């Protein structure tokens, strides 16, 4: 990912928090070139261990076959708030329109998880995060039903070797332009994008 110094983020705590807040991402592999849209579960590395990203695919999705045997290099891509930025909002000209956005990319070797207990780690984490109280309880489902569901899934684990994070939030514009862009985004109802711009610029 092209990341000019003005937009690059190297803070691991920000990267981890961003991925956890925007955990529906893209799983990308090169051979064959394929992309799947999936929820991910981040396991933060401790004691020098690498971070891991867990996800699962339908067994009917052929992408999992790219990770058989010794695995294969993969990317996981996560995107946050984004917005079109008009030159009409700038005070300094000449200028061109652009797009502001936050994104994080993880590179690493993806391997398969066939053990149902390991696949269940991510499924429980998703249920705990997104289900209200008394929502989906995986352990309360009929055992035979869950056995059938697990047979239809393949887990994937990515051992992250490189994080790349980018906050393209008008940092290359004069302060007055950054303030104006945030105000215009709010006026247009794009509050998440406005908040991201302010946070990235300390406004």
């Amino acid at each position: 990912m092209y990341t000019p110094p003005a937009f690059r983020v190297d803070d691991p705590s920000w990267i981890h928090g961003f991925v956890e807040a925007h955990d529906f991402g893209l799983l990308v592999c090169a051979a064959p070139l394929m992309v799947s849209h999936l929820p991910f579960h981040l396991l933060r590395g401790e004691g020098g261990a690498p971070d891991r990203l867990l996800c699962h695919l339908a067994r009917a999705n052929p992408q999992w076959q790219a990770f058989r045997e010794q695995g294969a290099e993969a990317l996981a891509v996560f995107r946050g708030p984004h917005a079109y930025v008009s030159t009409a909002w700038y005070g300094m000209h000449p200028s061109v329109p652009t797009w502001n956005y936050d994104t994080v990319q993880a590179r690493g070797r993806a391997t398969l998880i066939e053990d149902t207990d390991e696949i269940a780690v991510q499924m429980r984490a998703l249920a705990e995060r997104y289900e209200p109280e008394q929502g989906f309880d995986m352990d309360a489902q009929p055992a035979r039903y869950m056995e059938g569901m697990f047979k239809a899934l393949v887990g994937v684990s990515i051992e992250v070797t490189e994080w790349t994070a980018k906050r393209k939030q008008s940092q290359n514009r004069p302060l007055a332009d950054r303030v104006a862009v945030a105000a215009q985004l709010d006026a247009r109802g794009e509050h998440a994008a406005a908040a991201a711009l302010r946070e990235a610029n300390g406004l």
Side-chain angles (χ1 to χ4, degrees):
M1 176 168 59
Y2 172 60
T3 312
F7 304 139
R8 186 177 182 92
V9 180
D10 294 309
D11 179 5
S13 62
W14 185 88
I15 291 170
H16 289 158
F18 181 89
V19 170
E20 289 167 345
H22 304 89
D23 56 357
F24 190 77
L26 303 176
L27 174 64
V28 185
C29 64
L33 181 60
M34 292 190 70
V35 179
S36 293
H37 301 253
L38 305 164
F40 287 80
H41 177 54
L42 171 64
L43 295 178
R44 300 190 187 199
E46 296 181 0
D51 297 325
R52 290 173 63 209
L53 288 164
L54 306 181
C55 60
H56 59 269
L57 302 168
R59 196 171 288 274
N61 180 342
Q63 187 177 17
W64 70 269
Q65 297 184 41
F67 311 126
R68 296 176 72 174
E69 298 176 359
Q70 300 301 312
E73 190 171 48
L75 294 176
V77 183
F78 305 91
R79 192 183 71 186
H82 61 95
Y84 177 82
V85 177
S86 170
T87 56
W89 304 343
Y90 292 155
M92 189 178 77
H93 295 283
S95 56
V96 294
T98 191
W99 209 282
N100 280 0
Y101 57 91
D102 288 343
T103 189
V104 169
Q105 177 178 291
R107 179 187 297 273
R109 181 159 291 275
T111 54
L112 296 181
I113 301 172
E114 298 279 5
D115 183 84
T116 56
D117 288 340
E118 287 193 60
I119 298 173
V121 168
Q122 188 216 5
M123 296 180 72
R124 285 194 178 90
L126 286 170
E128 287 173 8
R129 176 172 180 185
Y130 290 105
E131 288 282 349
E133 255 185 68
Q134 307 303 317
F136 175 71
D137 182 353
M138 189 171 68
D139 298 316
Q141 307 308 309
R144 182 170 293 181
Y145 171 77
M146 290 308 301
E147 285 172 10
M149 292 299 294
F150 279 121
K151 285 179 181 177
L153 299 175
V154 181
V156 176
S157 172
I158 302 174
E159 187 173 292
V160 180
T161 57
E162 180 186 27
W163 289 107
T164 306
K166 184 175 184 179
R167 303 203 77 182
K168 185 179 177 296
Q169 297 291 352
S170 300
Q171 297 99 317
N172 57 331
R173 300 296 306 180
L175 177 60
D177 283 357
R178 286 176 264 171
V179 171
V181 170
Q184 290 291 339
L185 289 172
D186 268 332
R188 203 163 65 179
E190 299 191 67
H191 304 301
L197 186 155
R198 291 190 177 102
E199 179 189 308
N201 288 279
L203 299 179

